[in-house]
Amino acid sequence: MSIQRYIAANSPRFLDELVDLLKIPSVSADPAYKEEVVKAAEFVKEKLIASGVDHAEICATAGFPIVYGEKIIDPAAPTILIYGHYDVQPADPLELWDSPPFEPVIRNTDLHPEGAIFARGSADDKGQFYMHVKAFEAMIAEDLLQCNVKFMIEGEEEVGSENLDLFVQKNQEKLKADVVLISDTSMISLEHPSVTVGLRGLAYLQVEVTGPNKDLHSGTFGGSVANPINVLCKMIASLHDENHHITIPGFYDQVQEYDSEYRKQLNQAPFNEEDFKRKLDVKETYGEKGYSTIERVGIRPTLDVNGIWGGYIGQGAKTVLPSKAHAKISMRLVPDQEHKEIARLFEQHFKRIAPPAVKVKVVPHHGGPAAVIPTDSIGYRAAEAAIQEAFGKKAIPTREGGSIPITALFQKVLGLDPILLGFGLDTDAIHSPNEHYGVANYLKGIETIALFFKHFNQLSKEK
Ligand code: BES
Ligand code: MN
Ligand code: MN
């Protein structure tokens, strides 16, 4: 048999196993799901063993565990380290899901005539990392595995991978590999397969603006003391100028600018602005002056409010002048912005622009650097060759706007450039209601991953 035939013969079971994994609500952000997250780790370990690793273990951390498994076929053979995450984002708002987030169903859609599996985590990242487990199983079953494999599947990606850093630092020998392979990104489409060569970094923080020391009657006191929500809105509005440039002094100091040649190349990726607008139901795109949509997402930094609250938001009208206003703010970063420095610049500026009538508190959350992946490595060439063989097309290198902060950690600590071979689509609704993952993407991904192994082994020998 071949890999393709093995996948075809076993695809119903490959889907069933993914469905079982998706039924576990492993929401890392919400303490109510603590036991479920641990259950997902155990599930992953069991499946690694069933799929053929020599040895698998659940490695405790200060937070959620990391599942590690390996199969060493020959110490002289190349080693591929697979990274993924079994934790998922919270599912709310629940009322906007067409089917319950942890009761996976396969439905056909216009984009997915062969079906898509709807569930929280289906594309981010359970459906994607599980492709590696099944590609591994297929290679063993077909006696085609010629590389050593190490799996490292974590449970805290969606909350900032805080304990992974230490784990990687401490386990450098155990994690020793020739390449890191990650499927936690998107491709342009099944017609236009792509490999991600850049991710943005992130600085995330929360702000609190306090006016009077308690909520007040908005008639008795309105007009005489600062309303912290009014003030916060004004402060936030001032963080962009009329060209949608960010106004924080020093914010752009470390930003890498690209020459027109690179920008031209980036803009050659297939992208239809009209399509983009139609899918999102917006009349116009919106962003930094002087850059295309591809550039705004791929190579430019941003500042966005992710949530804002305060005062009365219940039924009807309550006349109140609130004591406090809050917002969660994220900044997507590009090379070479440093997230702690950017958070510091934000805090300094935000406190400076606050009127004396309010107090401001800024609490930094997680963050991480951007990453750029070189395209001249054996790993990248193996990805290109695998895509060529699986899709009959040349892979398009893309820079994506999302963040996987550990990508840069692998580069720094392990000295390895991760290959971001993702099979999701931007329309998969990750982090959003009705998240789904195409069945065709899942099965094609399994095939492409197996081909990556083949080409990585071949190219390593030619070196
Ligand atoms: N898989 C995503 C990152 C991603 C999504 C990369 C789409 C490229 C395309 C990852 O799980 C994620 O959501 N990351 C967070 C950052 C993290 C520190 C919480 C993000 O990008 O918001
Ligand atoms: Mn992810
Ligand atoms: Mn995510």
Side-chain angles (χ1 to χ4, degrees):
M1 270 219 291
S2 66
I3 283 287
Q4 285 82 356
R5 264 183 291 159
Y6 186 88
I7 295 167
N10 291 280
S11 59
R13 179 173 53 83
F14 285 2
L15 279 164
D16 286 347
E17 288 177 21
L18 175 57
V19 164
D20 287 342
L21 173 59
L22 289 168
K23 283 181 184 163
I24 308 171
S26 48
V27 180
S28 52
D30 187 344
Y33 293 95
K34 224 173 142 176
E35 280 163 28
E36 304 290 341
V37 181
V38 174
K39 232 168 89 183
E42 277 153 12
F43 181 98
V44 175
K45 180 188 160 191
E46 291 313 314
K47 290 299 176 191
L48 283 175
I49 291 170
S51 303
V53 294
D54 299 329
H55 140 89
E57 61 190 302
I58 292 191
C59 308
T61 73
F64 289 120
I66 293 163
V67 185
Y68 178 83
E70 64 177 31
K71 182 166 185 73
I72 308 297
I73 53 155
D74 173 2
T79 301
I80 298 177
L81 172 63
I82 312 284
Y83 165 84
H85 62 94
Y86 63 81
D87 65 321
V88 302
Q89 284 275 317
D92 45 305
L94 280 176
E95 66 279 10
L96 296 183
W97 285 76
D98 295 330
S99 54
F102 299 107
E103 293 171 30
V105 286
I106 296 179
R107 278 203 305 272
N108 294 352
T109 72
D110 289 347
L111 246 181
H112 298 284
E114 290 162 61
I117 180 159
F118 283 77
R120 168 57 84 234
S122 55
D124 183 12
D125 176 44
K126 286 172 173 173
Q128 293 226 57
F129 89 74
Y130 207 68
M131 296 182 305
H132 292 267
V133 183
K134 294 300 98 178
F136 171 68
E137 177 200 310
M139 287 185 283
I140 294 188
E142 294 296 301
D143 201 18
L144 289 168
L145 183 68
Q146 289 173 318
C147 296
N148 301 315
V149 194
K150 296 180 175 178
F151 288 92
M152 177 172 68
I153 313 297
E154 72 151 320
E156 295 187 310
E157 198 278 341
E158 297 293 7
V159 288
S161 302
E162 269 180 54
N163 297 294
L164 189 74
D165 204 317
L166 190 65
F167 183 82
V168 173
Q169 303 270 5
K170 271 192 177 162
N171 292 282
Q172 295 187 34
E173 195 50 41
K174 185 182 190 128
L175 300 174
K176 209 163 179 258
D178 297 286
V179 71
V180 182
L181 187 58
I182 305 176
S183 298
D184 193 22
T185 50
S186 301
M187 64 195 323
I188 298 171
S189 68
L190 284 173
E191 288 71 46
H192 301 288
S194 55
V195 178
T196 305
V197 296
L199 289 167
R200 286 192 288 192
L202 183 67
Y204 200 111
L205 35 85
Q206 187 162 328
V207 300
E208 181 189 273
V209 174
T210 307
N213 61 0
K214 55 179 154 314
D215 286 6
L216 303 170
H217 189 286
S218 68
T220 313
F221 293 92
S224 69
V225 289
N227 178 323
I229 302 182
N230 294 8
V231 169
L232 175 60
C233 289
K234 201 167 163 185
M235 288 168 73
I236 287 172
S238 79
L239 296 175
H240 289 94
D241 69 14
E242 67 283 7
N243 294 323
H244 309 300
H245 266 85
I246 293 154
T247 55
I248 300 169
F251 184 84
Y252 290 96
D253 283 2
Q254 311 302 326
V255 167
Q256 252 185 47
E257 305 286 342
Y258 294 90
D259 60 22
S260 52
E261 188 49 43
Y262 186 83
R263 290 175 61 181
K264 213 175 100 194
Q265 196 192 318
L266 207 60
N267 284 306
Q268 271 163 11
F271 175 75
N272 184 322
E273 188 99 4
E274 290 311 311
D275 237 29
F276 179 84
K277 289 193 285 192
R278 188 160 20 82
K279 276 187 195 131
L280 299 178
D281 207 2
V282 294
K283 279 210 192 82
E284 285 297 332
T285 56
Y286 187 96
E288 190 179 356
K289 196 175 168 191
Y291 294 92
S292 70
T293 298
I294 287 186
E295 291 170 337
R296 285 170 179 169
V297 171
I299 58 169
R300 299 300 294 170
T302 63
L303 184 152
D304 276 297
V305 179
N306 294 246
I308 183 163
W309 69 102
Y312 182 69
I313 53 167
Q315 291 286 316
K318 177 192 178 197
T319 51
V320 61
L321 197 163
S323 166
K324 285 182 190 298
H326 311 257
K328 289 184 191 280
I329 294 174
S330 71
M331 290 167 279
R332 295 285 168 175
L333 311 179
V334 298
D336 295 313
Q337 288 178 298
E338 206 276 308
H339 76 96
K340 288 199 175 122
E341 171 64 6
I342 293 294
R344 194 187 67 79
L345 290 174
F346 176 96
E347 180 167 358
Q348 196 183 324
H349 178 67
F350 211 64
K351 287 186 168 158
R352 227 195 41 229
I353 61 172
V358 298
K359 298 185 199 75
V360 170
K361 211 163 92 184
V362 177
V363 181
H365 284 298
H366 53 256
V372 174
I373 312 295
T375 55
D376 55 2
S377 67
I378 293 181
Y380 190 82
R381 281 163 46 216
E384 274 187 324
I387 283 178
Q388 185 66 49
E389 191 171 342
F391 292 85
K393 304 231 165 96
K394 182 155 168 57
I396 300 161
T398 58
R399 293 189 58 160
E400 287 200 84
S403 309
I404 310 178
I406 44 76
T407 309
L409 180 76
F410 290 137
Q411 293 177 314
K412 200 175 87 190
V413 179
L414 302 178
L416 298 172
D417 286 311
I419 302 302
L420 302 167
L421 188 59
F423 297 90
L425 301 178
D426 283 349
T427 48
D428 286 345
I430 64 172
H431 294 207
S432 182
N434 301 312
E435 177 177 354
H436 56 281
Y437 188 41
V439 171
N441 298 63
Y442 181 61
L443 298 175
K444 204 70 186 162
I446 296 173
E447 178 188 341
T448 310
I449 287 163
L451 291 167
F452 176 92
F453 273 67
K454 179 179 98 174
H455 288 289
F456 189 78
N457 181 49
Q458 275 171 10
L459 290 165
S460 298
K461 276 196 206 140
E462 285 166 20
K463 189 173 59 169

